[in-house]
Coordinates of all heavy atoms in Angstrom, one line a residue:
I473 N 93.4 -97.8 42.5 CA 93.2 -97.9 43.9 C 94.0 -99.3 44.3 O 93.8 -100.2 43.7 CB 91.8 -98.0 44.4 CG1 91.0 -96.7 43.9 CG2 91.6 -98.2 45.8 CD1 89.6 -96.7 44.0
D474 N 94.7 -99.2 45.4 CA 95.2 -100.4 46.0 C 95.2 -100.3 47.5 O 95.5 -99.3 48.1 CB 96.7 -100.6 45.6 CG 97.3 -101.9 46.0 OD1 96.4 -102.8 46.3 OD2 98.6 -102.0 45.9
I475 N 94.6 -101.4 48.1 CA 94.6 -101.4 49.6 C 95.3 -102.7 50.0 O 94.9 -103.8 49.5 CB 93.1 -101.4 50.2 CG1 93.1 -101.4 51.7 CG2 92.2 -102.4 49.5 CD1 91.7 -101.2 52.2
R476 N 96.2 -102.5 51.0 CA 97.0 -103.7 51.4 C 97.3 -103.7 52.9 O 97.5 -102.6 53.4 CB 98.3 -103.8 50.6 CG 98.3 -104.5 49.2 CD 99.6 -104.6 48.6 NE 99.9 -103.3 47.9 CZ 101.2 -103.0 47.7 NH1 102.2 -103.7 47.9 NH2 101.4 -101.9 47.0
A477 N 97.3 -104.9 53.5 CA 97.7 -105.0 54.9 C 99.1 -105.3 55.1 O 99.7 -106.2 54.3 CB 96.8 -106.0 55.7
A478 N 99.8 -104.8 55.9 CA 101.2 -105.1 56.3 C 101.3 -105.9 57.7 O 100.3 -105.8 58.5 CB 102.1 -103.9 56.5
D479 N 102.3 -106.7 57.7 CA 102.4 -107.6 59.0 C 102.8 -106.8 60.2 O 102.4 -107.0 61.3 CB 103.5 -108.6 58.7 CG 103.0 -109.6 57.8 OD1 101.9 -109.9 57.6 OD2 103.9 -110.1 57.0
D480 N 103.5 -105.6 60.0 CA 103.9 -104.7 61.1 C 104.2 -103.4 60.7 O 104.1 -103.1 59.4 CB 105.1 -105.4 61.8 CG 106.2 -105.7 60.9 OD1 106.5 -104.9 60.0 OD2 106.9 -106.7 61.0
F481 N 104.5 -102.5 61.5 CA 104.8 -101.1 61.3 C 105.9 -100.9 60.2 O 105.8 -100.2 59.2 CB 105.1 -100.4 62.6 CG 105.6 -98.9 62.4 CD1 104.6 -97.9 62.5 CD2 106.9 -98.5 62.2 CE1 105.1 -96.6 62.3 CE2 107.4 -97.2 62.0 CZ 106.4 -96.3 62.1
G482 N 107.1 -101.7 60.4 CA 108.1 -101.5 59.5 C 107.8 -102.0 58.0 O 108.3 -101.3 57.1
S483 N 107.0 -103.1 58.0 CA 106.6 -103.5 56.6 C 105.7 -102.5 56.0 O 105.8 -102.3 54.7 CB 105.8 -104.8 56.8 OG 106.7 -105.8 57.3
E484 N 104.9 -101.9 56.7 CA 103.9 -100.8 56.1 C 104.7 -99.7 55.6 O 104.5 -99.2 54.6 CB 103.0 -100.3 57.2 CG 101.9 -99.4 56.6 CD 100.9 -98.9 57.8 OE1 101.1 -99.3 58.9 OE2 100.0 -98.0 57.4
V485 N 105.8 -99.2 56.3 CA 106.6 -98.1 55.8 C 107.3 -98.5 54.6 O 107.5 -97.8 53.6 CB 107.6 -97.7 57.0 CG1 108.7 -96.8 56.4 CG2 106.8 -97.1 58.1
E486 N 107.9 -99.8 54.5 CA 108.5 -100.3 53.3 C 107.6 -100.3 52.2 O 108.0 -100.0 51.0 CB 109.0 -101.7 53.6 CG 110.3 -101.7 54.5 CD 111.5 -101.0 53.8 OE1 111.6 -101.0 52.6 OE2 112.4 -100.6 54.6
M487 N 106.3 -100.7 52.4 CA 105.3 -100.7 51.2 C 105.1 -99.3 50.7 O 105.0 -99.1 49.4 CB 104.0 -101.2 51.7 CG 104.1 -102.8 51.9 SD 102.7 -103.4 53.0 CE 101.2 -102.7 52.1
A488 N 105.1 -98.3 51.6 CA 104.9 -96.9 51.1 C 106.1 -96.4 50.3 O 105.9 -95.8 49.3 CB 104.6 -96.0 52.4
A489 N 107.2 -96.7 50.9 CA 108.5 -96.3 50.1 C 108.6 -96.9 48.8 O 109.0 -96.3 47.8 CB 109.6 -96.7 51.0
H490 N 108.2 -98.2 48.7 CA 108.2 -98.9 47.4 C 107.3 -98.2 46.4 O 107.6 -98.1 45.2 CB 107.9 -100.4 47.6 CG 107.9 -101.1 46.3 ND1 106.8 -101.3 45.5 CD2 108.9 -101.8 45.7 CE1 107.0 -101.9 44.4 NE2 108.4 -102.3 44.5
E491 N 106.1 -97.8 46.8 CA 105.1 -97.2 45.9 C 105.7 -95.8 45.5 O 105.5 -95.4 44.3 CB 103.8 -97.0 46.6 CG 103.0 -98.3 46.7 CD 102.7 -98.9 45.3 OE1 102.0 -98.3 44.5 OE2 103.2 -100.0 45.0
I492 N 106.2 -95.0 46.5 CA 106.7 -93.8 46.1 C 107.8 -93.9 45.0 O 107.8 -93.2 44.0 CB 107.3 -93.0 47.4 CG1 106.2 -92.7 48.3 CG2 108.1 -91.9 47.0 CD1 106.5 -92.3 49.7
Q493 N 108.8 -94.8 45.3 CA 109.8 -95.0 44.3 C 109.3 -95.4 43.0 O 109.8 -95.0 41.8 CB 110.8 -96.1 44.8 CG 112.0 -96.4 43.9 CD 112.9 -95.3 43.9 OE1 113.6 -94.9 45.0 NE2 113.2 -94.5 42.8
R494 N 108.2 -96.3 43.0 CA 107.6 -96.7 41.7 C 107.0 -95.5 40.9 O 107.3 -95.4 39.7 CB 106.5 -97.7 42.0 CG 105.9 -98.2 40.7 CD 104.6 -99.1 41.2 NE 104.0 -99.8 40.0 CZ 102.9 -100.5 40.1 NH1 102.2 -100.5 41.2 NH2 102.5 -101.1 39.0
F495 N 106.4 -94.6 41.5 CA 105.8 -93.5 40.8 C 106.8 -92.4 40.4 O 106.7 -91.9 39.3 CB 104.7 -92.8 41.7 CG 103.4 -93.5 41.7 CD1 102.9 -94.2 42.8 CD2 102.6 -93.5 40.6 CE1 101.8 -94.9 42.8 CE2 101.3 -94.1 40.6 CZ 101.0 -94.9 41.7
I496 N 107.9 -92.3 41.2 CA 109.0 -91.4 40.8 C 109.7 -92.1 39.5 O 110.1 -91.3 38.6 CB 109.9 -91.2 42.0 CG1 109.2 -90.3 43.0 CG2 111.2 -90.5 41.5 CD1 110.0 -90.1 44.3
D497 N 109.9 -93.4 39.6 CA 110.5 -94.0 38.5 C 109.6 -93.9 37.2 O 110.1 -94.0 36.0 CB 110.7 -95.5 38.7 CG 111.9 -95.7 39.7 OD1 112.7 -94.8 39.9 OD2 112.0 -96.8 40.3
G498 N 108.3 -93.7 37.5 CA 107.3 -93.6 36.4 C 107.2 -92.1 35.9 O 106.4 -91.9 35.0
G499 N 108.1 -91.2 36.3 CA 108.2 -89.9 35.8 C 107.4 -88.8 36.6 O 107.5 -87.6 36.2
L500 N 106.8 -89.2 37.7 CA 106.2 -88.2 38.6 C 107.3 -87.5 39.5 O 108.3 -88.1 39.7 CB 105.2 -88.8 39.5 CG 103.8 -89.3 38.8 CD1 102.9 -89.8 39.9 CD2 103.3 -88.4 37.8
H501 N 107.1 -86.2 39.8 CA 108.0 -85.5 40.6 C 107.7 -85.9 42.1 O 106.5 -86.1 42.5 CB 107.9 -84.1 40.5 CG 108.1 -83.7 39.1 ND1 109.4 -83.6 38.5 CD2 107.3 -83.2 38.1 CE1 109.3 -83.2 37.2 NE2 108.0 -83.0 36.9
P502 N 108.7 -85.9 43.0 CA 108.4 -86.2 44.4 C 107.3 -85.3 44.9 O 106.5 -85.8 45.8 CB 109.8 -85.9 45.1 CG 110.7 -86.1 44.0 CD 110.1 -85.7 42.7
H503 N 107.3 -84.0 44.7 CA 106.3 -83.2 45.2 C 104.8 -83.4 44.7 O 103.9 -82.7 45.2 CB 106.6 -81.7 45.1 CG 106.9 -81.3 43.6 ND1 108.1 -81.2 43.0 CD2 106.0 -81.1 42.6 CE1 108.0 -80.9 41.8 NE2 106.8 -80.8 41.5
E504 N 104.7 -84.4 43.8 CA 103.4 -84.7 43.3 C 102.8 -85.9 44.1 O 101.8 -86.5 43.8 CB 103.4 -85.1 41.9 CG 103.7 -83.8 41.0 CD 103.9 -84.1 39.5 OE1 104.5 -85.2 39.2 OE2 103.6 -83.2 38.7
I505 N 103.6 -86.3 45.2 CA 103.2 -87.5 46.0 C 103.0 -86.9 47.4 O 103.7 -86.2 48.0 CB 104.3 -88.5 45.9 CG1 104.5 -89.0 44.5 CG2 103.9 -89.7 46.9 CD1 105.6 -89.9 44.4
L506 N 101.7 -87.3 48.0 CA 101.4 -87.0 49.4 C 101.2 -88.2 50.1 O 100.5 -89.1 49.8 CB 100.1 -86.1 49.3 CG 99.3 -85.9 50.6 CD1 100.2 -85.2 51.6 CD2 98.0 -85.2 50.3
V507 N 101.8 -88.2 51.4 CA 101.6 -89.4 52.3 C 100.7 -88.7 53.5 O 101.1 -87.7 54.1 CB 102.9 -89.9 52.8 CG1 102.6 -91.0 53.8 CG2 103.7 -90.4 51.7
V508 N 99.7 -89.4 53.8 CA 98.7 -88.9 54.9 C 98.7 -90.0 55.9 O 98.4 -91.1 55.6 CB 97.4 -88.6 54.3 CG1 96.5 -88.1 55.5 CG2 97.4 -87.5 53.3
S509 N 98.9 -89.6 57.2 CA 98.8 -90.6 58.2 C 97.4 -90.3 58.9 O 97.0 -89.2 59.3 CB 99.9 -90.3 59.3 OG 99.6 -91.1 60.5
L510 N 96.7 -91.5 59.0 CA 95.4 -91.5 59.7 C 95.6 -91.7 61.2 O 94.6 -91.5 61.9 CB 94.4 -92.4 59.1 CG 93.9 -92.2 57.7 CD1 92.8 -93.2 57.3 CD2 93.2 -90.8 57.6
D511 N 96.7 -92.2 61.6 CA 96.9 -92.6 63.0 C 97.7 -91.2 63.5 O 98.9 -91.1 63.4 CB 97.8 -93.7 63.1 CG 97.9 -94.1 64.5 OD1 97.8 -93.3 65.5 OD2 98.2 -95.4 64.7
D512 N 97.0 -90.3 64.2 CA 97.5 -89.1 64.8 C 98.6 -89.4 65.8 O 99.6 -88.7 65.8 CB 96.4 -88.2 65.4 CG 95.3 -87.8 64.4 OD1 95.7 -87.7 63.2 OD2 94.2 -87.7 64.8
K513 N 98.4 -90.4 66.6 CA 99.4 -90.6 67.6 C 100.7 -91.2 67.0 O 101.8 -91.0 67.6 CB 98.8 -91.6 68.6 CG 97.7 -91.1 69.4 CD 97.2 -92.1 70.4 CE 96.0 -91.6 71.2 NZ 95.5 -92.7 72.2
A514 N 100.7 -91.9 65.9 CA 101.9 -92.5 65.3 C 102.4 -91.8 64.1 O 103.4 -92.2 63.5 CB 101.5 -93.9 65.0
A515 N 101.8 -90.6 63.9 CA 102.2 -89.8 62.6 C 103.7 -89.6 62.6 O 104.4 -89.7 61.6 CB 101.3 -88.6 62.6
R516 N 104.2 -89.0 63.8 CA 105.6 -88.7 63.8 C 106.5 -89.9 63.6 O 107.6 -89.8 63.0 CB 105.9 -87.9 65.1 CG 105.3 -86.6 65.2 CD 105.7 -85.8 66.5 NE 105.0 -84.6 66.5 CZ 105.3 -83.5 65.8 NH1 106.5 -83.5 65.0 NH2 104.7 -82.3 66.0
S517 N 106.1 -91.0 64.2 CA 106.9 -92.2 64.0 C 106.9 -92.7 62.5 O 107.8 -93.1 62.0 CB 106.4 -93.3 64.9 OG 106.5 -92.9 66.3
Y518 N 105.6 -92.7 61.9 CA 105.6 -93.0 60.6 C 106.5 -92.2 59.6 O 107.3 -92.7 58.8 CB 104.1 -92.9 60.1 CG 103.2 -94.0 60.2 CD1 102.1 -94.0 61.0 CD2 103.6 -95.3 59.6 CE1 101.3 -95.1 61.1 CE2 102.7 -96.3 59.7 CZ 101.6 -96.2 60.5 OH 100.8 -97.5 60.6
F519 N 106.4 -90.9 59.9 CA 107.1 -89.9 59.1 C 108.6 -89.9 59.2 O 109.4 -89.8 58.3 CB 106.6 -88.5 59.2 CG 105.2 -88.4 58.7 CD1 104.4 -87.2 59.2 CD2 104.6 -89.3 58.0 CE1 103.0 -87.2 58.7 CE2 103.3 -89.2 57.5 CZ 102.5 -88.1 57.9
S520 N 109.0 -90.2 60.5 CA 110.4 -90.2 60.7 C 111.0 -91.6 60.1 O 112.1 -91.5 59.4 CB 110.7 -90.4 62.3 OG 112.0 -90.6 62.6
A521 N 110.3 -92.7 60.2 CA 110.8 -93.9 59.6 C 110.7 -93.8 58.1 O 111.7 -94.3 57.4 CB 109.9 -95.1 60.0
L522 N 109.8 -93.2 57.5 CA 109.6 -93.1 56.0 C 110.7 -92.2 55.4 O 111.3 -92.4 54.4 CB 108.2 -92.6 55.6 CG 107.9 -92.6 54.2 CD1 108.1 -93.9 53.5 CD2 106.5 -92.0 54.0
S523 N 110.9 -91.0 56.2 CA 111.9 -90.1 55.8 C 113.2 -90.8 55.7 O 114.1 -90.5 54.7 CB 112.0 -88.9 56.7 OG 110.8 -88.2 56.6
K524 N 113.6 -91.6 56.7 CA 114.9 -92.2 56.7 C 115.0 -93.2 55.5 O 116.0 -93.4 54.9 CB 115.2 -93.0 58.0 CG 115.3 -92.0 59.2 CD 115.5 -92.8 60.4 CE 115.7 -91.9 61.7 NZ 115.8 -92.6 62.9
T525 N 114.0 -94.0 55.3 CA 113.9 -94.9 54.2 C 114.1 -94.4 52.9 O 114.8 -94.8 52.0 CB 112.6 -95.8 54.2 OG1 112.5 -96.5 55.5 CG2 112.6 -96.9 53.2
L526 N 113.4 -93.2 52.7 CA 113.5 -92.5 51.4 C 114.8 -91.9 51.2 O 115.3 -91.7 50.1 CB 112.3 -91.5 51.2 CG 110.9 -92.2 51.2 CD1 109.8 -91.0 51.2 CD2 110.7 -93.0 49.9
A527 N 115.3 -91.3 52.3 CA 116.6 -90.6 52.2 C 117.7 -91.5 51.6 O 118.6 -91.1 50.9 CB 117.0 -90.1 53.6
A528 N 117.6 -92.9 52.0 CA 118.5 -93.9 51.4 C 118.4 -94.0 50.0 O 119.3 -94.5 49.3 CB 118.3 -95.2 52.2
C529 N 117.3 -93.6 49.4 CA 117.1 -93.7 48.0 C 117.2 -92.3 47.3 O 116.8 -92.0 46.1 CB 115.7 -94.3 47.7 SG 115.4 -95.8 48.4
D530 N 117.7 -91.3 48.1 CA 117.9 -89.9 47.6 C 116.6 -89.2 47.3 O 116.5 -88.4 46.4 CB 118.8 -89.8 46.5 CG 120.3 -90.3 46.7 OD1 120.7 -90.0 47.8 OD2 120.9 -90.9 45.9
I531 N 115.6 -89.6 48.1 CA 114.3 -88.9 47.9 C 114.0 -88.1 49.1 O 113.7 -88.7 50.3 CB 113.1 -89.9 47.7 CG1 113.4 -90.8 46.5 CG2 111.8 -89.2 47.5 CD1 112.4 -92.0 46.2
P532 N 114.1 -86.8 49.0 CA 113.8 -85.9 50.2 C 112.4 -85.8 50.5 O 111.5 -86.0 49.7 CB 114.4 -84.6 49.8 CG 114.4 -84.5 48.4 CD 114.4 -86.0 47.9
C533 N 112.1 -85.5 51.8 CA 110.7 -85.3 52.2 C 110.4 -83.9 52.8 O 111.3 -83.3 53.4 CB 110.3 -86.3 53.3 SG 110.3 -88.0 52.7
N534 N 109.1 -83.4 52.7 CA 108.7 -82.1 53.3 C 107.7 -82.7 54.4 O 106.5 -82.8 54.1 CB 108.1 -81.3 52.3 CG 107.4 -80.0 53.0 OD1 107.8 -79.5 54.0 ND2 106.3 -79.6 52.4
N535 N 108.2 -82.7 55.6 CA 107.3 -83.1 56.8 C 106.8 -81.9 57.4 O 107.4 -81.2 58.1 CB 108.2 -83.9 57.7 CG 107.5 -84.5 59.0 OD1 106.2 -84.2 59.0 ND2 108.0 -85.3 59.7
I536 N 105.5 -81.7 57.1 CA 104.9 -80.3 57.4 C 104.5 -80.3 58.9 O 104.1 -79.2 59.4 CB 103.8 -80.0 56.5 CG1 102.6 -80.8 56.6 CG2 104.2 -79.8 55.1 CD1 101.3 -80.3 56.0
I537 N 104.6 -81.5 59.6 CA 104.2 -81.5 61.0 C 105.4 -81.3 61.9 O 105.3 -81.4 63.1 CB 103.4 -82.7 61.4 CG1 104.2 -84.0 61.4 CG2 102.2 -82.8 60.6 CD1 103.6 -85.2 62.0
N538 N 106.5 -81.2 61.3 CA 107.8 -80.9 62.1 C 107.7 -79.7 62.9 O 108.2 -79.6 64.0 CB 109.0 -80.9 61.1 CG 109.7 -82.2 61.0 OD1 109.4 -83.1 61.8 ND2 110.5 -82.4 60.0
D539 N 107.1 -78.7 62.3 CA 107.0 -77.4 63.0 C 105.5 -77.0 63.1 O 105.0 -76.5 62.3 CB 107.7 -76.2 62.3 CG 107.7 -74.9 63.0 OD1 107.1 -74.8 64.1 OD2 108.2 -73.9 62.4
P540 N 104.9 -77.3 64.3 CA 103.5 -77.0 64.5 C 103.2 -75.5 64.7 O 102.0 -75.2 64.8 CB 103.2 -77.8 65.7 CG 104.5 -77.9 66.5 CD 105.5 -78.0 65.5
Y541 N 104.2 -74.7 64.8 CA 104.0 -73.3 65.2 C 104.1 -72.3 64.0 O 104.3 -71.1 64.3 CB 104.9 -72.9 66.3 CG 104.6 -73.7 67.6 CD1 105.7 -74.8 67.9 CD2 103.5 -73.7 68.3 CE1 105.4 -75.6 69.0 CE2 103.3 -74.5 69.4 CZ 104.3 -75.5 69.8 OH 104.1 -76.3 70.9
S542 N 104.1 -72.9 62.9 CA 104.3 -72.0 61.7 C 103.4 -72.4 60.5 O 102.6 -73.4 60.8 CB 105.7 -72.0 61.2 OG 106.1 -73.3 60.7
E543 N 103.4 -71.7 59.4 CA 102.6 -72.1 58.3 C 103.6 -72.5 57.1 O 103.7 -71.7 56.2 CB 101.7 -70.9 57.8 CG 100.7 -70.5 58.9 CD 99.8 -69.3 58.5 OE1 99.8 -69.1 57.2 OE2 99.2 -68.7 59.3
P544 N 104.1 -73.6 57.2 CA 105.0 -74.1 56.2 C 104.3 -74.3 54.8 O 103.1 -74.7 54.8 CB 105.6 -75.4 56.6 CG 104.5 -76.0 57.5 CD 103.8 -74.8 58.2
P545 N 105.0 -74.1 53.7 CA 104.4 -74.5 52.4 C 104.1 -75.9 52.4 O 104.9 -76.8 52.8 CB 105.6 -74.1 51.3 CG 106.4 -73.2 52.1 CD 106.4 -73.6 53.5
F546 N 102.9 -76.2 51.9 CA 102.4 -77.6 51.8 C 103.3 -78.3 50.8 O 103.5 -79.6 51.0 CB 101.0 -77.7 51.4 CG 100.4 -79.0 51.7 CD1 100.0 -79.6 52.9 CD2 100.2 -79.9 50.5 CE1 99.5 -80.9 53.0 CE2 99.7 -81.1 50.7 CZ 99.3 -81.7 51.9
R547 N 103.7 -77.8 49.7 CA 104.4 -78.4 48.7 C 105.7 -77.7 48.5 O 105.8 -76.5 48.3 CB 103.7 -78.4 47.3 CG 104.3 -79.2 46.3 CD 103.5 -79.1 44.9 NE 104.1 -78.2 44.0 CZ 103.9 -78.0 42.8 NH1 103.1 -78.9 42.2 NH2 104.5 -77.2 42.0
L548 N 106.8 -78.4 48.6 CA 108.2 -77.9 48.2 C 108.7 -78.8 47.0 O 108.7 -80.0 47.0 CB 109.1 -78.1 49.5 CG 108.8 -77.3 50.6 CD1 109.8 -77.5 51.8 CD2 109.0 -75.7 50.3
D549 N 109.1 -78.1 46.0 CA 109.6 -78.8 44.8 C 110.6 -79.9 45.1 O 111.5 -79.5 45.8 CB 110.1 -77.8 43.8 CG 109.0 -76.9 43.2 OD1 107.8 -77.3 43.4 OD2 109.3 -76.0 42.5
G550 N 110.4 -81.0 44.6 CA 111.5 -82.1 44.7 C 111.3 -82.8 46.1 O 112.2 -83.6 46.2
K551 N 110.3 -82.6 46.8 CA 110.2 -83.3 48.1 C 108.7 -83.9 48.2 O 107.7 -83.3 47.9 CB 110.4 -82.4 49.3 CG 111.8 -81.8 49.3 CD 112.0 -80.9 50.6 CE 113.4 -80.5 50.7 NZ 113.7 -79.7 52.0
V552 N 108.7 -85.1 48.7 CA 107.4 -85.9 49.0 C 106.8 -85.2 50.2 O 107.5 -84.9 51.2 CB 107.8 -87.3 49.3 CG1 106.4 -88.0 49.8 CG2 108.3 -88.0 48.1
T553 N 105.5 -84.9 50.1 CA 104.8 -84.2 51.3 C 104.4 -85.2 52.3 O 103.7 -86.2 52.0 CB 103.7 -83.4 50.8 OG1 104.1 -82.5 49.8 CG2 103.0 -82.6 52.0

Side-chain angles (χ1 to χ4, degrees):
I473 302 170
D474 188 15
I475 178 168
R476 275 182 279 159
D479 292 330
D480 51 41
F481 176 89
S483 299
E484 186 181 357
V485 170
E486 287 292 337
M487 287 165 54
H490 179 270
E491 285 297 299
I492 291 169
Q493 184 69 67
R494 181 188 190 189
F495 280 107
I496 291 176
D497 289 344
L500 294 188
H501 302 286
H503 54 257
E504 293 174 326
I505 300 172
L506 165 63
V507 180
V508 178
S509 172
L510 287 188
D511 190 335
D512 297 333
K513 294 180 180 179
R516 292 189 181 278
S517 298
Y518 270 121
F519 295 162
S520 175
L522 183 59
S523 296
K524 291 177 181 177
T525 302
L526 292 176
C529 303
D530 295 324
I531 301 174
C533 294
N534 173 33
N535 185 351
I536 66 169
I537 69 170
N538 266 344
D539 183 1
Y541 302 108
S542 65
E543 296 182 19
F546 190 79
R547 188 182 97 160
L548 291 177
D549 287 351
K551 295 185 177 184
V552 175
T553 304

